[in-house]
Amino acid sequence: MSTLSEEKVFRDPIHGYVRVQDKVVWDCIQTREFQRLRRVKQLGSTSMVYHTSEHTRFAHSLGVYEIARRMINEVEDISRTLTEYEKITVKLAALLHDVGHAPFSHSFEAIMNSDHELYTIQIIKEESEVNKVLKEYKDTLPTDVASVINGTHPNKILCQMVSSQLDADRMDYLLRDSYFSGTKYGEFDLERILRTMRVADDKLTIKASGTHTIEDYIMARYHMYWQVYYHPVSRSYDTLLQKVFKRLFDLYKQDKGIALKLPMFKQLLEKKQLSNEEMYLLDDSACFYSFNLMSQIDDQILADLAKRVLNRNLFKYTSVDKKEEIEQRCLEKGYDLRYYFHQDYQSQNPYKPYSGKSQCIWVLEEDGSIKELSTVSTIVSSLSQNDSYEDEKIFFPKEVL
Amino acid sequence: MSTLSEEKVFRDPIHGYVRVQDKVVWDCIQTREFQRLRRVKQLGSTSMVYHTSEHTRFAHSLGVYEIARRMINEVEDISRTLTEYEKITVKLAALLHDVGHAPFSHSFEAIMNSDHELYTIQIIKEESEVNKVLKEYKDTLPTDVASVINGTHPNKILCQMVSSQLDADRMDYLLRDSYFSGTKYGEFDLERILRTMRVADDKLTIKASGTHTIEDYIMARYHMYWQVYYHPVSRSYDTLLQKVFKRLFDLYKQDKGIALKLPMFKQLLEKKQLSNEEMYLLDDSACFYSFNLMSQIDDQILADLAKRVLNRNLFKYTSVDKKEEIEQRCLEKGYDLRYYFHQDYQSQNPYKPYSGKSQCIWVLEEDGSIKELSTVSTIVSSLSQNDSYEDEKIFFPKEVL
Amino acid sequence: MSTLSEEKVFRDPIHGYVRVQDKVVWDCIQTREFQRLRRVKQLGSTSMVYHTSEHTRFAHSLGVYEIARRMINEVEDISRTLTEYEKITVKLAALLHDVGHAPFSHSFEAIMNSDHELYTIQIIKEESEVNKVLKEYKDTLPTDVASVINGTHPNKILCQMVSSQLDADRMDYLLRDSYFSGTKYGEFDLERILRTMRVADDKLTIKASGTHTIEDYIMARYHMYWQVYYHPVSRSYDTLLQKVFKRLFDLYKQDKGIALKLPMFKQLLEKKQLSNEEMYLLDDSACFYSFNLMSQIDDQILADLAKRVLNRNLFKYTSVDKKEEIEQRCLEKGYDLRYYFHQDYQSQNPYKPYSGKSQCIWVLEEDGSIKELSTVSTIVSSLSQNDSYEDEKIFFPKEVL
Amino acid sequence: MSTLSEEKVFRDPIHGYVRVQDKVVWDCIQTREFQRLRRVKQLGSTSMVYHTSEHTRFAHSLGVYEIARRMINEVEDISRTLTEYEKITVKLAALLHDVGHAPFSHSFEAIMNSDHELYTIQIIKEESEVNKVLKEYKDTLPTDVASVINGTHPNKILCQMVSSQLDADRMDYLLRDSYFSGTKYGEFDLERILRTMRVADDKLTIKASGTHTIEDYIMARYHMYWQVYYHPVSRSYDTLLQKVFKRLFDLYKQDKGIALKLPMFKQLLEKKQLSNEEMYLLDDSACFYSFNLMSQIDDQILADLAKRVLNRNLFKYTSVDKKEEIEQRCLEKGYDLRYYFHQDYQSQNPYKPYSGKSQCIWVLEEDGSIKELSTVSTIVSSLSQNDSYEDEKIFFPKEVL
């Protein structure tokens, strides 16, 4: 049977309740791979700036599912257009889109051998509890869920719902990250967006009367990037994490023995693709426990960097035009620039007009024509033509000042 | 110098900003012992019911400090009555009251050799970064801060501010736990409480016109206890945690070797009082990483219990009058009752009228007389005379049904 | 046709959106009698205490409708039990329950010849735009809607939904009055109440697991009464209003000519039952404009009282045991006690256990039995046995002090 | 004495509490001219779109005062720079800036003989209770408060605080109108703006690190304008109001007798400047009561237009390119185009870079230099160069379709 005898709910400050009616969704949530997301924070480094941003990928994943579920139930065009099987497929894709995520948001991927999408697909399609639950529902379900997540599903509406510039994923994280950080920058009018969604010409579109609401959403993204995600303190913490792992990998090249002291990273050090079992064990607690171990290790640089991570003894930052002066000071104080100096460039475009049919935001005019958002919004057009939303900084120990 | 050149702030969804003006407060926040609280969740088991309750003791401790700071700045009677040194003392006591807290809220204390207050005092008074910072300010500060926390400070107003039935600690956690769980049960009118606080007869009191606000606060506590803290699912998770550790200790009695496989618990297993250094290493990540290790261990009971913790495969619960039937079923299915059956009793009194001068809530009448809360509030009186706010349940594996 | 081609919505801070799908509901909202509610504030005198409580009966009526609509759509037992005609009937009863309300909340009724329910029934059943819209849908609809409002409808579930101790009316006004006053006292968990509503034994009940939520709702009512509705400043304003009208009626007895100067009160002064047409013209603006006129009238007492109303020059209040002293002072200063002195008694029982089948709150136990709330909740039982939730005060001009 | 013995507060959902410490501020609030603002809604026509926007100029004026008060108390540069007398002056200017506002927001001014600022100055400087309170404090106070309001005060910081593109007035109404309308478009980070305000070079500036917060504020204004203030339904209601008064004035030209039937508009019809006494009587209730009278008047056009206002029977709107077609239809149906057809153009620039020293927003760079906002913000620069933020529509009775 595919429907639960009674709707199950999760209390959620963003959505009131996350509502589960399908048995296969409920069973996916109970799997060990999905429960692992309780131990992976949504925003690894942001909690160094906004200290209450402690929420997990578990909560976010439920939220993305809930927005997808509401699109299906409340947007009449979607409700009518999709088959029952497509509805289940897209709800599960929303739920599972982050199931292969490593700790520390995207900054960990730099040191892993591949990105989180690859592991997500691996968990869905290869041996795992998630895979078992999906196959029990229907043999083709793992493949179809995976194809929505990597954007290759033939029905582009499903892809737009889960992965586009106006998808359930972005909509949940902007609202959620705002709520838990205690800022208001990411708030926008989700209710109105749901009310103005239409399907036209096989695309998900927004009625022209909702254009201002979408402009507000684009601006919310813009502000969250600069005020939260790309905040220099957050980037400073990311820098430290990367330096810790750079030092660890460099030490491993000289002496394989270090892997015995840090068993949680054995496969990573060996540059192997992790199995689903190994991925299951890689969570925030493994990382933080490893930092505790590293802080007691007999390599001075690794121990120092690990302590900095644990005790929030972050690098300072300044404008890139002081690069030479700061490098010089670091050298004078005996800091190894490979581990104690970093130049970081970030740029962000709040909306990309030329990102393809399943990525763009489409506006449905009253006369039935469909236009790409930046052609009807002066503000979005201004925003997307400009490429100066960027920032470059250098990071270094405060002890050099 | 004791004042920062510029106020420092932490963004906080409960208080807007947490504001720090004193250098000694700022320095305490930077210590490794205080930064460790970023890795200890405020509500260990509650996040099994309300999955967004992922906030840490770090955030809570800053919140308690902020309420104490506001009492000092905004309640004129307090501002006028306390000396500068007393003000610093009570702000630090508020900030540090949980610095020795182990993981998993109070449920971990059952298996430790002492409670969190003991470790808090130890960190404040014995060798630690916190102790160093306090002593640098004034030699007597560690002792005075500790005496506020354990309720022995001669100025009872300081004790009331940090540890009474209407203290900064309770006020912050009710608001914070409400916000992060997404419920409204713990909300009350903090602004009005601050406005009606008065000092009279060396006691912290509330003006009679604020009595309804205090009744509302008492009810908020009552509802949070039953809807959140004592929720049966939360108690089921606590039960599992206790069973894990009971099994671990029992195994250790038979074979000391297990301590090598779980180095994070070596001292605990040996029933030693932890040093400040050892306490520093005991955080949520050490525990969760240990559960990962236990889940791979070659004791079937320990591995099974650890997996249940990790994957939220919780015990079911039912009324205690099915005790014999359930015990029988457990035995039939081969479950060892010591580890797979638990009887749990909880009772709570939302307000205790006879808890002594520095614990009771006092009401200041218009004529200047001071009365204990339950003598002026019919509702609080009804609540505190009644002792049937209790619940007893049994917990067992769902597989026995 | 009874269904709108597209759902219409009203943005609302309490409910997100108020959603209208039925043409007859939409048409009722467009009538002049319903639009008049835009000119009648929900809380006449409370805005003298909480100055932002400026919301109207129009907004409240839409809110009551929305809660009734959600009960019908989201509580499966109600959705299944009621016929389509009953659903329309109860939604309209919720929408229209206040359509005959005079200005200034319930305090105006004292000086009118009958209460607001009588006028509500009159507007629904006699000639009016509302009556026309209802009859167009079905001839029996006016009678049936009216019978839900006055509690005589044979299906008691409809009556419980609109008028009981846990009805859509109370639930909306607690939340709405909290929001607009800026207090939190009236907040409770509407979502959870909707989730735990069940129909059993032809009664609306709450599942036993929702008992704490109902206790919280009862306490919200209790606190709103004392902190908001019965606030002494609010009662002082009500006192003034009553004195204004007492003086006006007394003057009219001596000289009928005054009715010409205040044409908006002609019928009231003649003690006639108002027609629907006359009721339509009686709104807040008519009253406030009349106070402007009265403030310029050549009766010193009426002009003074009207100016006090307009300029918030309220009576002071004190405990009733100063009655004789204050009366004496009033007389000494030449105040006519009939218009310048008032003794006011208020009592409130947050829950009445013996209020009959369609009024009580019923709890559905797991074994299927149904119990009256106070028999299962210690707190509610304590609250309802006690009859000391009362207050008596005297009101008088501050100039006498 | 200038300080109250105990701080007085007003509960407010936007600011928590509005706090009054100065006797002169408290006394101003008690005047009849200020109390009249309880009877003038902040957003006349917007409540036709967002039906809960019923808040008054009284609440807004207190809010503007509260933001000015916080600037003075919390922005150290302002606190240090201003004299005590300047602080009082600017707080009173904030409080009183709208005291001469007529009903129906700015749309009423079209038919009055002058704008609200003129009447505000008249109430402050000529005989009134407000004037008396100000003069009692200091003889020069009325003149100085008035000069802040009309922007001629020599200390430009005071003018910037109350009337610039980032002033207490705009900041309060964006937040307040958002809250009461139930939208989120006007929300921005007031706390952070207060924290980044600095005084430099005799100007109010924002630290460069707060630039993103200001961008967010500018966008909030942009969105509120198009989603709320310039919403076509709101403009349709304004159109009706203007048509009512146009008809009334035209009738008066033919027959002065109509002024006897509508005494509240006698002076306006005679095109006289209103005295303070006459202005006091002109509030929302006078207008709405006049519409009730007009709806019963024996001129068909005036009665019809007044009924439309009362019963929200608004004009439809469409794009201006249907002008000829719609005009033709109106004529065919016998509608007089002077009263039943309107062409309305609105444009808005969310930020004007060249608006002068006391109007622009200034950014304080880390090196101490001061730059005009649009020179440092790409987004604001894009926004202000563009002049296509405009809309033109025609309005007409729905009966012509």
Side-chain angles (χ1 to χ4, degrees), chain A residues 11 13 32 35 38-39 47 51-52 54 56 179-180 182 264 280 285 288-289 296 310-312, chain B residues 11 13 32 35 38-39 47 51-52 54 56 179-180 182 264 280-281 285 288-289 296 310-312:
Chain A
R11 189 82 190 205
R32 63 202 296 257
Q35 291 292 324
R38 290 179 181 274
R39 298 188 292 279
S47 67
H51 69 288
T52 57
E54 310 273 10
T56 63
Y179 186 89
F180 286 97
M264 58 286 279
Y280 170 74
S285 69
F288 277 108
Y289 189 67
Q296 301 165 288
L310 288 169
N311 302 331
R312 199 185 180 277
Chain B
R11 188 82 190 208
R32 64 203 294 257
Q35 290 292 324
R38 289 179 181 271
R39 298 188 292 279
S47 67
H51 69 287
T52 56
E54 312 273 9
T56 64
Y179 186 88
F180 286 97
M264 58 285 280
Y280 170 74
L281 296 171
S285 68
F288 276 108
Y289 189 67
Q296 301 165 287
L310 288 169
N311 303 329
R312 201 186 179 275

Side-chain angles (χ1 to χ4, degrees), chain C residues 327-338:
Chain C
E327 279 184 333
Q328 192 55 41
R329 282 173 182 245
C330 284
L331 290 172
E332 281 164 18
K333 295 260 183 172
Y335 286 107
D336 185 332
L337 289 182
R338 288 175 302 168

Side-chain angles (χ1 to χ4, degrees), chain D residues 247 249-257 299 338-339:
Chain D
R247 180 62 182 173
F249 276 76
D250 289 351
L251 288 175
Y252 180 76
K253 279 178 218 152
Q254 297 160 26
D255 172 12
K256 303 276 180 279
D299 176 73
R338 289 174 301 167
Y339 310 115

Side-chain angles (χ1 to χ4, degrees), chain B residues 269-288:
Chain B
L269 287 167
E270 291 171 3
K271 295 274 180 197
K272 285 189 194 149
Q273 169 88 11
L274 303 189
S275 70
N276 283 348
E277 183 65 27
E278 288 154 0
M279 191 65 200
Y280 170 74
L281 296 171
L282 189 65
D283 59 18
D284 285 1
S285 68
C287 287
F288 276 108

Side-chain angles (χ1 to χ4, degrees), chain A residues 62-242:
Chain A
L62 288 177
V64 179
Y65 154 80
E66 177 63 12
I67 293 179
R69 191 194 66 76
R70 289 189 64 193
M71 286 181 183
I72 289 168
N73 281 26
E74 297 177 22
V75 180
E76 215 204 309
D77 282 2
I78 296 179
S79 181
R80 202 185 46 235
T81 310
L82 302 192
T83 66
E84 279 314 299
Y85 179 69
E86 284 175 327
K87 288 176 185 177
I88 286 287
T89 305
V90 73
K91 281 191 267 189
L92 289 164
L95 184 77
L96 298 171
H97 77 290
D98 268 354
V99 78
H101 225 298
F104 299 116
S105 186
H106 299 269
S107 64
F108 202 80
E109 297 186 358
I111 58 114
M112 287 183 68
N113 308 323
S114 56
D115 71 4
H116 73 275
E117 192 178 299
L118 185 145
Y119 283 108
T120 294
I121 302 294
Q122 175 179 305
I123 288 167
I124 290 170
K125 292 174 80 170
E126 299 182 15
E127 195 176 336
S128 69
E129 288 187 14
V130 161
N131 176 266
K132 190 154 166 277
V133 167
L134 297 181
K135 276 198 304 195
E136 264 171 30
Y137 184 88
K138 197 170 179 200
D139 245 14
T140 54
L141 196 50
T143 307
D144 289 328
V145 168
S147 74
V148 174
I149 290 172
N150 66 20
T152 60
H153 194 285
N155 187 339
K156 290 309 170 201
I157 290 169
L158 308 195
C159 300
Q160 276 186 283
M161 287 170 70
V162 174
S163 176
S164 67
Q165 293 190 79
L166 183 69
D167 62 10
D169 183 14
R170 276 164 182 77
M171 288 198 270
D172 184 76
Y173 76 61
L174 289 177
L175 295 174
R176 190 168 302 276
D177 298 348
S178 277
Y179 186 89
F180 286 97
S181 64
T183 65
K184 291 181 182 300
Y185 301 110
E187 291 186 355
F188 62 92
D189 191 346
L190 173 60
E191 299 302 315
R192 186 118 202 271
I193 289 181
L194 289 176
R195 274 192 62 76
T196 52
M197 272 197 173
R198 296 290 182 276
V199 172
D201 195 20
D202 295 334
K203 289 192 199 74
L204 212 55
T205 69
I206 295 292
K207 270 178 69 179
S209 64
T211 308
H212 285 299
T213 314
I214 299 299
E215 291 176 342
D216 189 39
Y217 158 86
I218 297 287
M219 291 309 299
R221 281 188 64 192
Y222 169 81
H223 283 113
M224 281 301 278
Y225 269 86
W226 293 111
Q227 297 285 63
V228 179
Y229 308 136
Y230 290 170
H231 193 289
V233 171
S234 178
R235 286 153 62 192
S236 171
Y237 188 74
D238 279 340
T239 296
L240 262 183
L241 290 173
Q242 287 163 30

Side-chain angles (χ1 to χ4, degrees), chain C residues 10-13 18 30 32 35-36 38-39 41 47-48 50-52 54-56 58-59 62 129 176 178-185 263-264 277 280-281 283-286 288-289 292 295-296 309-312, chain D residues 10-13 18 30 32 35-36 38-39 41 47-48 50-52 54-56 58-59 62 129 176 178-185 263-264 277 280-281 283-286 288-289 292 295-296 309-312:
Chain C
F10 293 83
R11 189 81 189 208
D12 182 81
V18 172
Q30 308 314 312
R32 63 202 297 255
Q35 291 292 324
R36 168 187 165 272
R38 290 179 181 272
R39 298 187 293 279
K41 274 191 201 146
S47 66
M48 293 296 119
Y50 296 99
H51 68 288
T52 57
E54 311 272 10
H55 51 300
T56 63
F58 183 83
L62 288 176
E129 288 186 15
R176 188 167 303 276
S178 278
Y179 185 88
F180 286 96
S181 63
T183 64
K184 292 182 182 299
Y185 301 110
M264 58 285 280
E277 184 62 30
Y280 170 75
L281 296 171
D283 58 19
D284 284 3
S285 68
F288 277 108
Y289 189 67
N292 269 339
S295 74
Q296 301 164 288
V309 167
L310 288 169
N311 303 330
R312 199 184 181 277
Chain D
F10 295 82
R11 188 83 189 207
D12 182 81
V18 172
Q30 308 313 311
R32 64 203 295 257
Q35 290 292 324
R36 167 187 167 273
R38 290 179 181 271
R39 298 188 292 279
K41 275 190 200 147
S47 67
M48 293 295 119
Y50 297 98
H51 69 287
T52 56
E54 312 273 9
H55 50 301
T56 63
F58 183 84
L62 288 176
E129 289 187 15
R176 189 167 303 276
S178 278
Y179 186 88
F180 286 96
S181 64
T183 64
K184 293 181 181 297
Y185 300 110
M264 58 285 280
E277 183 64 29
Y280 170 74
L281 296 170
D283 58 18
D284 285 1
S285 69
F288 276 109
Y289 188 67
N292 269 338
S295 74
Q296 301 165 286
V309 167
L310 288 169
N311 303 330
R312 201 188 180 272

